[in-house]
Amino acid sequence: MKKTLILCLFLCLNCSVFAQNKDVWVSFWDKDSTHIGFKDKNGIVKIEPKFMGMIIAHKFENIIAVSEEKGQKWESYYLTKTGKIVGRDSLYVFDNGPDCENEGFIRFTDHKTDKMGMFNGDGQIVIPAIYSNLTKVKNGMIIVLKDAQKKQDGEHFFWTGGKEFLIDTNNKVLIENFAYNDDLNFYSLEKSKKPSKDPVRDSFLGVDGEYYSFVNFDKEFKFWLKKELLSDLSQKNILLHSFDKITYNKPLEDWINEPKEKFVNNNYLYLKLKLQELNTAKTDYFVSTDRLNPFIFESIEYDEYFNNCNESKDWLYPVKSIIINPKSKTDFRQDHLDFLRTENGYKLISVSNAKDNLK
């Protein structure tokens, strides 16, 4: 993966990610654990505890979403490192939580028009609130949905119609008719005059006449699985492609975490047999995409795989799960082998066993 040519942010020369304050502040509670403030790396209090409610940022780099109680009312807004307040009552909220900055940018919602836009780390509007929906910034690029209609389905809503584009943080359209795709690695961008011939890449014709290609996580993982793992199921090779710690569980038991050497040594036969099944056409299995669970993977070795709000950075480090269905149609228990994408390739990180035979 390190050999992948990365054209990092050439699309966005003014991205505030280059000017980020390296002094990252960290959150802390007051004595009553009711309000949150921020300290710098030396433990000096930069903001006294006063925030509560919707704040989810554990670290403060450039801009965060906060809320505080003022009298009998709640005030929510975006706050920059310099103390600038912007976007009062304009928080973008999804799944009961506000947005978290990525690459120095954060999304907001104009609740009068129900449209979305984006602030940079200085609190300036760099993407106006003209879009029905938009993603986080990924390598200076954003997928946006424009002129869609919101439909309600019980407690949930969804979008119909509209057009999707890939834009940069200058609001410049790069690719038209760019459908949302969770499996694209935007940090693997390559540009060329012709579509990429790499089998793990997807190519798209840009408005500038050149082709933008991105590694497709799903294609990448399946190629890696066949070439690097299934071709050599020795204990040494399985260890090589395992995370330092492997988390596993047994039916009706909590998750257990132990060094890879111990786990692979105790369960090598099980791992080998399950992986061998994938080379058999009769095996009923599929591969799905998931994200690292912050409530299971809590220790420091997983920190780089979560953002400042403790959300899994699945846009760069997805979890690919191999789910093996039982041979008997009356048995509904499945085996799960989960592989985390890292800077050093995919690594076996967790195992969920259908039967109580893990050691």
Side-chain angles (χ1 to χ4, degrees), residues 90-148:
S90 298
L91 298 192
Y92 165 70
V93 178
F94 179 77
D95 199 20
N96 296 320
D99 199 25
C100 192
E101 77 165 277
N102 203 50
E103 298 181 15
F105 298 89
I106 198 166
R107 295 170 288 184
F108 72 91
T109 300
D110 183 337
H111 293 291
K112 293 181 180 179
T113 62
D114 202 24
K115 302 293 185 182
M116 291 175 59
M118 192 167 286
F119 290 114
N120 66 11
D122 297 320
Q124 300 169 329
I125 295 177
V126 291
I127 305 295
I130 59 175
Y131 296 106
S132 304
N133 202 1
L134 71 168
T135 66
K136 292 180 182 291
V137 174
K138 302 171 185 177
N139 196 20
M141 294 169 280
I142 311 153
I143 303 174
V144 298
L145 174 65
K146 193 172 185 180
D147 299 328

Side-chain angles (χ1 to χ4, degrees), residues 41-52:
K41 61 183 179 182
N42 297 316
I44 298 174
V45 175
K46 309 300 289 187
I47 302 177
E48 294 289 344
K50 64 177 181 177
F51 304 125
M52 55 192 306

Side-chain angles (χ1 to χ4, degrees), residues 14 78 88 99 106 133 137 162 185 190 205 234 299 310 319:
N14 69 340
Y78 294 95
R88 287 187 182 275
D99 199 25
I106 198 166
N133 202 1
V137 174
N185 178 4
E190 290 182 357
L205 181 61
S234 65
S299 51
N310 207 32
V319 173

Side-chain angles (χ1 to χ4, degrees), residues 232-257:
D232 178 6
L233 293 178
S234 65
Q235 186 167 339
K236 179 180 178 181
N237 196 48
I238 292 177
L239 272 171
L240 178 65
H241 297 297
S242 295
F243 201 79
D244 289 344
K245 290 183 179 179
I246 295 180
T247 303
Y248 69 99
N249 77 337
K250 301 179 182 181
L252 304 178
E253 290 188 24
D254 290 332
W255 289 95
I256 304 166
N257 186 292

